[in-house]
Structures are given as C-alpha cells and as structure tokens.
Amino acid sequence: MSGGWMAEGEPAGLPPLIERPDIPVRVRRTLTAWLVIWTVRPAWLWRRELLVLAVLGGLAGWGWSLGGTFGAVGFVAALVPVTAAGWPWLGWWLTRARWRRRWDRACRFARLATSNDRVPRIRKIRRVPVGLRLRVRVPRGLIVDGVESAAAHLASDLRVREVRVRRDADRAHLAVVDLVQRDPLAVSDPLMWPWLDRPSARLWEGVPVGLSEDGEPVTARLPGFNLLLGGEPGAGKSAALSTVLAGAALDPWTKVVGLDAKRLELAFWRPCMAEVVYADIGEACELLEWLIGEMDQRYRALESAGLRKVPDGAGLLLLVVDELRFYTAHPDKQEAARFTMLLIDLVARGRAAGMPVSAATQKPSHDVVSTSLRDLFAYRWAMRSTTRAASDTILGQGWASLGYSAASIPISTRGVGLLLAEESAEPVRLLSYYLTDEEIRRVAARGAELRRVHGTG
C-alpha cells in the first residue's frame, strides 16, 4: 500500500488510518491519539455545522433565560426570515463544508494519506459549468501526480462523472481539481455564431470559433498563425472550418482562396472568395506556386519598408484547404510530393507575410501529412477521433497520456473538440459554433458586398 501501513481492525466502512511506514506492526495508540483521530479530526470537518448549532443553542438558551420556553422559541423563530434572506450564501457555505468532508473521505479511501495521516486539503471551492473546481494543497510526502493517478478512485467515491487534476503552473504543491458532474457542451441545439449579424469584422481581432467548458468564448487569432483541423468523418470539422471562413468573409481586406477536393464545402463561400481549386492536383500546385510568388513579393516590400512582418491591420491572404488528404496522398506521387513541398514552404514562411493557412483533414498521420508540415501549424484542433493515437497525431505526441484525448469525446456530441494554441499551456475543450447553409449564404453575400464597396474583390 502506498503511503504507509494501514492499521488493522478499523471499523467497517471508515477510511483507513495511516501509521508510520517504518513500523511494520500495529502501533498501540494512546488515549490522546484516539481522541485526535476519532473526535478532533471529525469535529474539525464538521466545524461549520457545529458552529451553526452552537449559535442556535446559544440564542435558544438566551431566550430561555429571558422568557422561558416562549422566549427560546421566539428567538429561534426570529432567525427564520434572516436565514431565508441569507440562504444562498449560507447554503453555499454549508455545501462547501460537505464537499470538504467528502473529499477528505475520498482521499483516504484512494490511499492518498501520507505517513503522518495527512491528505490533500481543499483551500478554495467554486462553481464552474462542469461542476466544481477545487484549489487543493498537497501535503509534504505527496505530489500532484499522485493525486492525478488516483483520479478514477476519487471520481468513484465522490460519485461524479470524472475528476480532472492538473498542477499549478507556478507552485508544485498546489493542484487544480475539477469535479465533473455534467457535460456543459452536450447541448441539443447548436451554438449560433456570435458575429452572424455583424456588418463587418477584421481577422486581426480574433475569430470566435466556439465556447469552452467554462462558458467562455474561444477565439482563434489567424494573423501570424496556421490552423490544422482533424477528426473522424461527421465529427464537425466542416462546421468548425466555417467559423474561420465566416470571419474571413466579413473582413473585406482579407483575400480568401481555397482548395476543395469535394467541390461542396467551399461552394457556399464562393461569392466572397478570390479563387477556388477543386479535385485537380495540378491546379492545386499552380495555386500554391502563385501564393508563394505573392509571398516573396510581400517580403520584398517588407524589406524595402524595413519591417520584419506585416503590420497589424494589413490585408491578409488566407488559404483554406478542405480534405487535405486528397492532395498530400494523391495517387500521383510526384505531384503529391510537389504539393507537400510547396505547402510546407507556404506554411513555414507565410506567417510573417500575412498569409495564414487553415486546413482540415480526417487524420493527419505521417503517411498522409508529413510531420515536417504538420508541426508547422500553431493551432491544432482535434475533433472526435477513433483512437488516442489518432488524437495525438493532431494535437501532438503525448497529450493523450496527459488526459487530453479526442477519442474520449462522445460520438453524440458533434462539434466538440480540443483546441491547442501555440500560446496555450494545454488544449481547451470546446464546442464549435455552427452556421446553417442559409446563414453561410447570408454571410458570404455580405462579404461579397463589402469587397465590392471597398474595391477589394
């Protein structure tokens, strides 16, 4: 057993007590030890409820001394409206105490007590959309990784869906623990894109692409970054890619070109796009060569102006690729290799020139998309995947073992994915916004009109 030796003969149903690990036999406890273990420790966990009872008892006694039974009942009855008015605060105050007791019990049953019978202690509790978020202090002799390895045991004892543990970025003895009681992303109705009725926009602001588990909008800042979307068929890749296209459509100073192997995904966006190439690998390579020529021209202009990158607010040239696999794994191996080489050049050098790339594919494994290309994408968005390995091919090696796997996303929650940004410490679980075909037509028509008015079409 990790942490020490369990004393024999504990009452059934109670958490095990931990003795000193260097004594392999049962220790004879003193009377003081028994009082601390079975009286002081439980009383401390019930201290809030005991305080409430003490206050009520004190008031009842005071009332009794002043007016007998009538006075005692009157004093207690007078607290009813006060309690009702303050119940939201008082109820939450007592609820936190109840969760502290449940956490203490769960940690002991999960063998997280140290050799001197200390367990991780809750320092702060707050409500979040998924359930509860705990700020936990890990005692000496234990590390956060130990708490994380016991997450399944904790979830079972706490009767919650899942327990998620991560170490505080600045202090190793602190952990953030999420007690997941519900999935806020498992909604029946799709999320409406918040910029749907916006007259115009700029990609430099960051495009809203979804809603996180915490209920916060998630944005993708495309200038200077590239986006790779991956997932199994029907997971919601096209809907997620539409949020990026919609943001680009409302920016009249952004020129949008695309590659669409199915001829369907970009069809509704055609009115506001400068050019679209379909299932022709040769034309796709020619489009990339034109883009690289445009990129080189932009770099010459930046050199003349004494700049390292395009200034904020400059016009962007966005390449959108749907079904990247069709081009990188094309039967014509020579053309496929040519396409991959050109795209690597564009993705590697296009950021500073204001030429981001957003690409979607089912599974960007090394035999479909070379790692030298895949690793250049700063934004990785993994929709539901069939396996943990498939999730790692999108997010990067090792994330699944840290608890971030798109394979764990329920098949019924279409549009849910994990987004890893270059500036983020870890992937964010989110539900992408959704645009209907009619809404896409409206946004595309507005984008076409904006380009006509500004003369940027």
Side-chain angles (χ1 to χ4, degrees):
M1 185 189 73
S2 63
W5 296 88
M6 183 176 70
E8 299 176 359
E10 302 301 346
L14 293 177
L17 298 175
I18 304 301
E19 300 290 359
R20 288 176 55 189
D22 56 335
I23 302 179
V25 295
R26 186 183 179 195
V27 176
R28 184 180 298 278
R29 301 191 183 99
T30 64
L31 177 60
T32 302
W34 280 109
L35 287 174
V36 170
I37 291 171
W38 298 115
T39 305
V40 177
R41 191 178 74 183
W44 179 251
L45 293 173
W46 285 89
R47 62 189 181 277
R48 296 189 180 187
E49 288 79 0
L50 292 174
L51 177 61
V52 171
L53 291 176
V55 170
L56 291 176
L59 289 173
W62 187 23
W64 179 272
S65 66
L66 295 177
T69 303
F70 179 79
V73 173
F75 267 85
V76 175
L79 289 177
V80 172
V82 177
T83 303
W87 179 250
W89 178 86
L90 180 61
W92 175 233
W93 187 67
L94 294 175
T95 298
R96 294 201 302 269
R98 181 170 62 89
W99 277 104
R100 290 176 192 275
R101 290 193 298 274
R102 294 184 63 182
W103 172 261
D104 181 274
R105 169 190 168 94
C107 286
R108 294 183 185 282
F109 273 114
R111 313 296 191 189
L112 290 177
T114 62
S115 59
N116 58 350
D117 205 37
R118 296 291 186 268
V119 298
R121 293 297 182 191
I122 297 175
R123 299 181 60 176
K124 186 177 181 181
I125 305 176
R126 67 184 179 92
R127 292 189 178 100
V128 292
V130 298
L132 296 173
R133 176 160 294 170
L134 315 180
R135 184 81 164 175
V136 174
R137 183 183 185 277
V138 177
R140 289 181 174 88
L142 193 66
I143 60 176
V144 173
D145 289 349
V147 181
E148 185 177 7
S149 64
H153 293 285
L154 292 171
S156 177
D157 193 270
L158 292 168
R159 302 296 189 264
V160 295
R161 289 167 57 105
E162 182 184 359
V163 171
R164 300 174 186 164
V165 182
R166 61 182 183 276
R167 189 176 72 86
D168 185 274
D170 300 319
R171 287 166 289 185
H173 69 290
L174 296 179
V176 178
V177 180
D178 287 336
L179 307 185
V180 181
Q181 298 171 299
R182 66 192 70 89
D183 186 357
L185 303 183
V187 296
S188 56
D189 298 325
L191 295 179
M192 185 179 71
W193 192 54
W195 283 7
L196 187 60
D197 296 321
R198 191 166 177 172
S200 64
R202 296 303 306 272
L203 280 187
W204 291 91
E205 302 175 52
V207 181
V209 295
L211 204 65
S212 73
E213 286 184 317
D214 294 336
E216 297 295 330
V218 179
T219 60
R221 183 177 170 83
L222 292 181
F225 298 97
N226 300 293
L227 169 66
L228 178 64
L229 256 165
E232 67 179 18
K237 296 189 302 297
S238 297
L241 190 61
S242 290
T243 61
V244 175
L245 276 162
L250 294 181
D251 186 349
W253 288 275
T254 292
K255 180 180 290 187
V256 185
V257 297
L259 298 172
D260 185 3
K262 294 187 297 188
R263 304 183 64 95
L264 298 174
E265 299 302 336
L266 303 183
F268 290 168
W269 298 105
R270 191 66 181 88
C272 61
M273 297 183 69
E275 186 175 355
V276 179
V277 170
Y278 300 110
D280 188 312
I281 186 68
E283 291 185 5
C285 290
E286 291 175 4
L287 176 62
L288 290 181
E289 288 175 341
W290 176 81
L291 288 171
I292 290 172
E294 176 69 19
M295 177 178 65
D296 291 336
Q297 184 176 340
R298 289 191 174 205
Y299 276 125
R300 286 192 289 269
L302 289 173
E303 181 185 15
S304 300
L307 299 173
R308 291 180 178 271
K309 63 178 182 178
V310 294
D312 290 359
L316 302 174
L317 205 170
L318 172 66
L319 170 64
V320 179
V321 185
D322 189 68
E323 294 300 341
L324 180 62
R325 175 192 177 95
F326 172 84
Y327 303 100
T328 57
H330 195 274
D332 189 332
K333 301 301 182 183
Q334 185 174 354
E335 287 292 88
R338 176 188 171 203
F339 176 92
T340 299
M341 179 188 65
L342 292 170
L343 188 58
I344 289 175
D345 186 22
L346 179 63
V347 174
R349 296 196 296 132
R351 295 173 55 172
M355 298 176 62
V357 176
S358 294
T361 187
Q362 290 185 18
K363 180 185 175 183
S365 56
H366 66 87
D367 58 332
V368 174
V369 181
S370 68
T371 55
S372 56
L373 170 60
R374 189 178 67 223
D375 294 343
L376 293 173
F377 286 88
Y379 280 97
R380 309 280 192 87
W381 195 343
M383 312 301 286
R384 173 172 169 77
S385 303
T386 53
T387 63
R388 289 162 57 94
S391 177
D392 269 358
T393 60
I394 305 167
L395 295 176
Q397 192 63 36
W399 281 113
S401 63
L402 295 176
Y404 298 97
S405 171
S408 64
I409 297 173
I411 194 170
S412 58
T413 53
R414 184 178 181 183
V416 174
L418 296 169
L419 177 62
L420 177 64
E422 189 175 69
E423 67 274 15
S424 301
E426 56 197 23
V428 175
R429 190 169 182 266
L430 76 159
L431 174 62
S432 67
Y433 294 117
Y434 180 79
L435 290 94
T436 65
D437 291 350
E438 181 57 34
E439 290 169 345
I440 290 176
R441 290 190 181 96
R442 283 168 47 194
V443 175
R446 194 181 315 146
E449 179 62 18
L450 286 169
R451 284 159 175 76
R452 186 191 66 79
V453 170
H454 293 279
T456 56

